[in-house]
């Protein structure tokens, strides 16, 4: 019943910005931590950012200072604002629900491409 629907990916030049959105359906959204993962070709999926149910945020070192995760519980939506994008940020980005430390539901992914 739980579905995560992502949007906002695209192609940008280095230094550009994108804002990803993830709308969550069929979930008691406010009770769960949410996270963003990414997977580049030939690489394992890696955690980018996480936000707890009460709004505490954590970031991968590669994202810290450039990316901002946020949530709007009234809209059942989590966001990832990405600024100063670099070519190494190129990946498919996934919205993921976190249930007691388990990554239990994943979105379909949205492509982010950073190139000149």
């Amino acid at each position: 019943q739980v579905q995560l629907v992502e949007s906002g990916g695209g192609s940008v030049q280095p230094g550009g910005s994108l804002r990803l959105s993830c709308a969550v359906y069929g979930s008691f959204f406010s009770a769960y931590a949410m996270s963003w993962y990414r997977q580049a070709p030939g690489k394992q999926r890696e955690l980018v950012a996480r936000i707890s149910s009460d709004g505490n945020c954590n970031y991968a070192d590669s994202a810290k200072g450039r990316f901002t995760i946020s949530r709007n519980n009234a809209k059942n939506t989590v966001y990832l604002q990405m600024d100063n994008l670099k070519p190494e940020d190129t990946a498919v980005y996934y919205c993921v629900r976190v249930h007691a430390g388990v990554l239990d539901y994943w979105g379909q992914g949205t492509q982010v491409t950073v190139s000149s």
Side-chain angles (χ1 to χ4, degrees):
Q1 288 290 114
V2 179
Q3 289 186 289
L4 285 64
V5 182
E6 297 153 322
S7 61
S11 182
V12 297
Q13 295 182 356
S17 297
L18 286 171
R19 190 193 193 203
L20 307 183
S21 298
C22 173
V24 180
Y25 302 89
S27 174
F28 184 21
F29 177 78
S30 63
Y32 293 93
M34 299 294 298
S35 61
W36 288 93
Y37 280 71
R38 68 186 180 189
Q39 186 172 26
K43 300 289 187 179
Q44 297 290 334
R45 287 176 178 170
E46 62 177 349
L47 176 68
V48 178
R50 179 176 293 177
I51 184 167
S52 72
S53 59
D54 61 356
N56 296 125
C57 303
N58 297 100
Y59 300 92
D61 287 342
S62 60
K64 200 171 187 178
R66 300 187 299 123
F67 293 4
T68 303
I69 189 170
S70 62
R71 66 192 299 160
N72 187 328
N73 288 343
K75 296 182 177 180
N76 285 12
T77 302
V78 61
Y79 306 93
L80 185 67
Q81 177 68 42
M82 304 186 293
D83 298 319
N84 192 24
L85 284 160
K86 303 176 180 180
E88 54 263 42
D89 296 317
T90 297
V92 177
Y93 284 70
Y94 297 89
C95 181
V96 188
R97 193 180 81 166
V98 185
H99 180 203
V102 176
L103 313 178
D104 63 350
Y105 288 95
W106 294 69
Q108 78 284 358
T110 185
Q111 177 71 46
V112 171
T113 302
V114 185
S115 66
S116 58

